[in-house]
Structures are given as C-alpha cells and as structure tokens.
C-alpha cells in the first residue's frame, strides 16, 4: 500500500512548475489594461473640455472683432479698416459673457479672461481664456494632478 501512496504522491508533485501562474499573469494584465483605459478616458475628457473652452474663446473673439471703436472710426478720416481698441475688445467680451447663459461659464472651474486679451495691432481681436480642468476618472496614475490641470486657450478674430 505504501507503494500506491508513493506513486500517487509522485504523480501529484510531478506536475508542471507553472501551475497557478497563469491566473496571476492574467490578473496583472487585467489591472494594467484597466489602468490604461482609465488614463486614456481621463486624458480624452480633458482634451474635450479644452476644446469647449476654445470654442467659447472663438465665439468671444468673433464677437469682439465686431466691437469697433466708434469714436475713432467716425472721427479719424485716415482709418482704412475697422479700428479696435483694448477697451472695446474687453467691453465686448464682458458684454457677451454677461448675456450668455450661466451654464456657458459655470461648467469651467476657475474660469477667467486673462491677458493678452485685447488687440495687438488695432485690427485683430485677441481673447485668452483660462480654466482648471479636472479628470473625471482619477486612477492612481493621475493622483499627482488630483487638483486639476490649468488650461489656457487663445483665439483671434479679424475686424473687416
């Protein structure tokens, strides 16, 4: 009978050395894949929010390009294009934001109109916006940036 137990023990222990390792490897690859998916989803969400901020800046720049300095346009006979000033661009931006629904600017955290908003040459309206964007899914890879990423965009509109 002891020969029978020895033969059984030899068969049980003579299996491959890798038994149970596939489960561990599968778990590691599963965690790695999940982390990669969460990081890509977070980066995509940040990119889309930046595009929304850029769309708002484009709309503000287009509106500000129509904000002609009326006094200079009607009093200066040498003006050959629609003149813009920093004050007219700032006023147009503030007026647009005041008239826009609250949801337009409330979706951005720490939203601000920042320099160099104005006109660099009198014929181009330049609008720069900044906001803080937080990733919606925060895997451990992005923990150093848990307070969000600062995003700044600039759009230009030409007065014609």
């Amino acid at each position: 009978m002891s020969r029978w137990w020895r033969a059984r023990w030899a068969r049980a222990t003579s299996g491959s050395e890798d038994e149970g390792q596939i489960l561990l490897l599968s778990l590691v690859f599963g965690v790695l894949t999940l982390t990669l998916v969460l990081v890509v989803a977070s980066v995509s969400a940040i990119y889309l929010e930046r595009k929304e901020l850029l769309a708002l800046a484009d709309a503000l720049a287009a509106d500000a390009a129509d904000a002609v300095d009326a006094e200079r346009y009607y009093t200066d006979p040498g003006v050959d294009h629609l003149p813009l000033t920093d004050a007219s661009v700032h006023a147009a931006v503030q007026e647009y934001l005041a008239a826009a629904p609250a949801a337009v600017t409330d979706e951005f955290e720490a939203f601000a109109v920042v320099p160099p908003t104005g006109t660099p040459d009198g014929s181009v309206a330049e609008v720069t916006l900044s906001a803080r964007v937080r990733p919606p899914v925060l895997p451990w890879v992005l923990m150093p940036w848990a307070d969000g990423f600062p995003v700044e965009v600039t759009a230009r509109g030409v007065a014609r």
Side-chain angles (χ1 to χ4, degrees), residues 60-76:
L60 288 170
D63 186 60
D66 290 337
V68 176
D69 183 13
E71 181 180 335
R72 184 169 165 218
Y73 182 69
Y74 290 114
T75 60
D76 189 359

Side-chain angles (χ1 to χ4, degrees), residues 4 34 42 53-54 66 93-94 99 111 113 117 123 125 134 140 145 150-151 153 157:
W4 183 78
L34 181 64
S42 294
L53 188 66
L54 183 59
D66 290 337
V93 167
Q94 295 306 323
F111 176 79
V113 179
T117 297
S123 64
R134 292 184 188 273
W140 60 272
W145 300 281
V151 175
V153 295

Side-chain angles (χ1 to χ4, degrees), residues 53 56 60 97 104-106 108-113 129-132:
L53 188 66
L56 178 59
L60 288 170
L97 290 175
V104 171
T105 59
D106 288 347
F108 301 109
E109 181 182 336
F111 176 79
V113 179
L129 303 177
S130 72
R132 180 163 297 281

Side-chain angles (χ1 to χ4, degrees), residues 4-111:
W4 183 78
W5 281 108
R6 274 189 239 145
R8 188 168 170 99
W9 178 256
R11 272 185 289 171
T13 58
S14 70
S16 73
E17 298 285 325
D18 294 338
E19 199 152 320
Q21 300 297 321
I22 291 295
L23 178 62
L24 181 62
L25 183 65
S26 298
L27 286 174
V28 168
F29 280 136
V31 168
L32 185 63
T33 303
L34 181 64
T35 302
L36 184 63
V37 166
L38 291 176
V39 168
V40 168
S42 294
V43 170
S44 298
I46 291 170
Y47 174 75
L48 290 174
E49 204 159 332
R50 181 193 175 278
K51 293 296 280 182
E52 289 177 14
L53 188 66
L54 183 59
L56 178 59
D58 281 340
L60 288 170
D63 186 60
D66 290 337
V68 176
D69 183 13
E71 181 180 335
R72 184 169 165 218
Y73 182 69
Y74 290 114
T75 60
D76 189 359
V79 173
D80 59 347
H81 64 281
L82 297 175
L84 297 174
T85 61
D86 287 338
S88 67
V89 171
H90 281 285
V93 167
Q94 295 306 323
E95 182 180 319
Y96 187 98
L97 290 175
V104 171
T105 59
D106 288 347
E107 72 178 80
F108 301 109
E109 181 182 336
F111 176 79

